[in-house]
Each structure stands twice: as C-alpha cells, then as structure tokens.
C-alpha cells in the first residue's frame, strides 16, 4: 500500500481504515459466537457446577484468543494482497 519512498494517498489510507474496521467487527462477531457456543449450554441447561464453571471459563479464554487471531489474520492478508508482485513491472492480472 505504501508508495516507494512517499506518503500514502487518501485512497490508501481509507482502504487501511476500512480493513481495520472490518477486522475488528468480524473478530468481535466471531468471538461472541464462539463464546456463546461454548458457554451457552452452561446457562441454558442444568449442569453440574464443575461443568458449568469449566464451560464459562473455556468461553472466556477462547473468545479473546479467537478475536486476536482473527484481527491478525485479516490484517496480514490485507498487507500481503496490497504489495505489488515486482516493483516497476505490471502484475500478471493487469
């Protein structure tokens, strides 16, 4: 995304901003779904106290871990896609 030795254009800054927003929103959604899937049964069903506590704690661990992994994966994929294949040459798909 960065021009060679220069500043980023407004379009490039906008693309980065949109990608960061997408990464955060999709990660929050994925983390909430995983937390609900793991910890949800503890609240919906009558389970033994140990199982209930274990499910809630597992959800509290897996949700944030998935959030971080998703944000990193989206931003790394965006950074790789934005790089030209070879400086000074047109890409094969242009």
């Amino acid at each position: 995304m960065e021009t060679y030795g220069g500043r980023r254009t407004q379009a490039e800054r906008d693309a980065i901003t949109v990608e960061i927003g997408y990464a955060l929103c999709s990660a929050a959604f994925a983390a909430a779904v995983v937390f609900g899937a793991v910890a949800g049964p503890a609240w919906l069903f009558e389970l033994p106290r140990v199982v209930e506590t274990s499910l809630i704690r597992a959800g509290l661990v897996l949700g944030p871990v998935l959030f971080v992994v998703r944000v990193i994966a989206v931003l790394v994929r965006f950074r790789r896609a934005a790089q030209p294949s070879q400086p000074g040459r047109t890409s094969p798909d242009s």
Side-chain angles (χ1 to χ4, degrees), residues 25-37 59 62-68 70:
C25 289
S26 67
F29 178 76
V33 168
V34 166
F35 175 78
L62 290 176
V65 168
L66 179 65
F67 179 86
V68 170
R70 176 69 180 161

Side-chain angles (χ1 to χ4, degrees), residues 9-55:
T9 65
Q10 183 64 41
E12 290 171 331
R13 289 187 304 232
D14 289 345
I16 291 168
T17 302
V18 168
E19 198 66 22
I20 290 170
Y22 168 73
L24 292 174
C25 289
S26 67
F29 178 76
V33 168
V34 166
F35 175 78
V38 174
W43 291 320
L44 293 175
F45 304 113
E46 195 71 31
L47 299 172
R49 189 73 176 146
V50 173
V51 174
E52 192 173 301
T53 304
S54 298
L55 287 174

